[in-house]
Amino acid sequence: MAEGDSGEKTEAPSAKRLRESAEKGDVLQSKELGSALVMIVGAGWLALGGPLLVQALAELLRNSLRFGRGAVEDFEPAQSILSQVGHLALPIGLLFLATIAAAIGAPAMLGSFGFRWGAISFRPDRINPLAGLGRIFGTQGLVELIKALAKIAVMGAIGWWLLKSRLPMITTMGRNDIIANMADVGHTFVFAVIVMAMGLVLIAGVDVPVQIIRRTARLRMTKQEVKEEHKQTEGSPELKGAVRRRQMETARRSARAQVAEASVVLTNPTHFAVALRYRPGQDPAPIVVARGRGATADAIRALAEEFDVPMLRYPQLARAIYFTTRAGQLIREDLYVAVATVLAFVFNIDRAVAEGRTQPDIEVPGEARFDENGRPEA
């Protein structure tokens, strides 16, 4: 049972899987959303730029029907054509730019904007007839068929409603003059485009969640795939252990001589380790001979055990020295009292143990207190 369950894709796709699929061209997309945006932009252009286009067409018609002596004597067809077409350049150019913006806006709204080489790379399954038949007659084909039928139903219902609501106006158009009729036709057409655009928005509002669900289901992972990806990303425990051992060996070789002459090692107890040396009459103040965190701290603790250097657990003091002093430097003056108290205990540790005394309590100044990330503690 466990072996059968391991092959089921029950886990949500990871960020890495989503990123890799996007690089290959498998991105979230909705043709219905693109169509809706283009229709909305077209409707807006008709409402705002339509009158400008009508004026340009009227001017083009008037200029085309003018014919005088100058048109024969100074006949320049290229200039005439450019001047006539120039009236249409602005409204058509605005429509062109608005349509491009709508086409770009659809993938941008879905977070799929951008060019990906993987989307145009050669893939054998794209020319495989069996794969194509599977897409046509499979789940994807069924979904596309339902979407097409839904569009036909919605747009057909909108068209019938528009025709029925405008039928009285259409049947009485012959009673008005041509200019009034043209204005009514224009208003009706703009209204129809706007209503149809809203219908496409409704279809897109259903299609986008469907596409999200389908893509998520397509990219789902098995538990084993999640484990393998985690190993690749974070490294297997065996590899991490081997790296940590190498780091410890390197740190032990570099810190061996320094820890051997240390007077005491202060620990966090696990993340930090600081080795201090103080020789009365020789050192003006306690000196940091070695410091480290992680694998380096482990190496310092191992060397302290090897050379019988006393190790005491003082988390705040260890962090204070680690974040304020480098190896080979004297400790800060505001830490003298705390370190002196520790050293006095260490230098008389045999008598303290015999008398049953524990390590003394110390006070670290507030400005020298840090958390494990080096941020000052409040």
Side-chain angles (χ1 to χ4, degrees):
M1 185 69 179
E3 291 182 1
D5 292 343
S6 63
E8 296 182 2
K9 296 187 175 183
T10 58
E11 306 301 310
S14 63
K16 181 174 180 290
R17 189 177 183 91
L18 292 173
R19 184 175 63 254
E20 289 178 349
S21 66
E23 291 173 354
K24 296 177 182 178
D26 185 359
V27 296
L28 182 62
Q29 53 185 342
S30 171
K31 293 184 291 185
E32 314 308 327
L33 178 61
S35 301
L37 287 180
V38 171
M39 284 290 291
I40 291 174
V41 168
W45 177 85
L46 284 175
L48 300 177
L52 182 62
L53 178 62
V54 172
Q55 292 178 5
L57 289 173
E59 184 67 21
L60 175 62
L61 181 61
R62 283 193 294 267
N63 292 336
S64 299
L65 295 177
R66 289 196 189 105
F67 187 79
R69 181 177 180 179
V72 178
E73 294 178 349
D74 302 324
F75 182 62
E76 295 182 0
Q79 182 178 356
S80 177
I81 292 173
L82 289 176
S83 62
Q84 299 299 331
V85 175
H87 295 291
L88 302 177
L90 179 60
I92 294 178
L94 291 175
L95 176 61
F96 181 73
L97 294 176
T99 304
I100 291 179
I104 294 175
M109 290 175 62
L110 297 176
S112 305
F113 180 71
F115 180 79
R116 298 168 179 85
W117 286 104
I120 62 174
S121 61
F122 175 74
R123 288 172 55 185
D125 61 320
R126 291 177 177 173
I127 59 175
N128 187 349
L130 295 179
L133 291 174
R135 287 191 294 268
I136 294 174
F137 296 102
T139 304
Q140 180 178 352
L142 179 61
V143 171
E144 294 299 326
L145 176 61
I146 294 175
K147 284 165 52 179
L149 293 176
K151 283 195 289 187
I152 292 174
V154 172
M155 303 308 289
I158 291 174
W160 171 253
W161 174 74
L162 284 173
L163 181 62
K164 185 177 180 180
S165 62
R166 300 284 170 165
L167 189 61
M169 185 270 293
I170 295 174
T171 55
T172 58
M173 287 181 61
R175 302 174 185 176
N176 302 323
D177 61 90
I178 188 170
I179 296 179
N181 288 337
M182 291 295 294
D184 290 339
V185 169
H187 294 156
T188 301
F189 182 72
V190 171
F191 179 73
V193 172
I194 293 175
V195 174
M196 292 174 69
M198 293 301 101
L200 288 177
V201 169
L202 178 63
I203 295 174
V206 177
D207 182 60
V208 171
V210 170
Q211 295 301 327
I212 294 175
I213 295 172
R214 289 181 60 193
R215 183 169 185 260
T216 302
R218 185 170 62 250
L219 297 178
R220 280 190 175 277
M221 306 169 66
T222 64
K223 294 183 182 297
Q224 185 61 31
E225 288 175 336
V226 173
K227 292 179 181 178
E228 292 297 329
E229 182 179 294
H230 180 73
K231 286 183 179 180
Q232 294 175 2
T233 304
E234 302 296 334
S236 63
E238 296 80 5
L239 178 60
K240 293 171 69 175
V243 171
R244 189 172 184 84
R245 285 193 296 271
R246 286 197 297 269
Q247 291 175 340
M248 282 190 61
E249 290 298 326
T250 302
R252 290 182 66 168
R253 286 194 297 269
S254 61
R256 174 174 292 272
Q258 289 80 4
V259 177
E261 62 180 18
S263 303
V264 65
V265 171
L266 306 179
T267 66
N268 190 43
T270 57
H271 297 89
F272 297 88
V274 177
L276 301 177
R277 186 195 73 198
Y278 179 65
R279 296 173 180 171
Q282 181 177 349
D283 297 327
I287 299 175
V288 177
V289 293
R291 58 189 279 276
R293 64 189 303 176
T296 304
D298 293 340
I300 292 174
R301 285 191 295 270
L303 288 170
E305 292 179 356
E306 180 180 343
F307 294 115
D308 292 327
V309 178
M311 280 192 297
L312 300 178
R313 177 179 175 177
Y314 283 103
Q316 285 187 345
L317 183 57
R319 293 197 299 267
I321 296 174
Y322 178 86
F323 287 116
T324 60
T325 311
R326 296 182 179 276
Q329 294 180 344
L330 299 175
I331 64 171
R332 284 191 355 178
E333 294 183 2
D334 55 353
L335 299 176
Y336 279 2
V337 175
V339 174
T341 303
V342 173
L343 289 173
F345 174 77
V346 170
F347 290 154
N348 297 279
I349 194 169
D350 293 335
R351 187 172 65 182
V353 171
E355 296 175 356
R357 289 188 285 131
T358 59
Q359 65 184 55
D361 295 331
I362 60 169
E363 184 68 23
V364 176
E367 58 272 16
R369 296 186 179 186
F370 299 91
D371 62 14
E372 293 186 356
N373 296 314
R375 293 189 293 265
E377 291 184 348

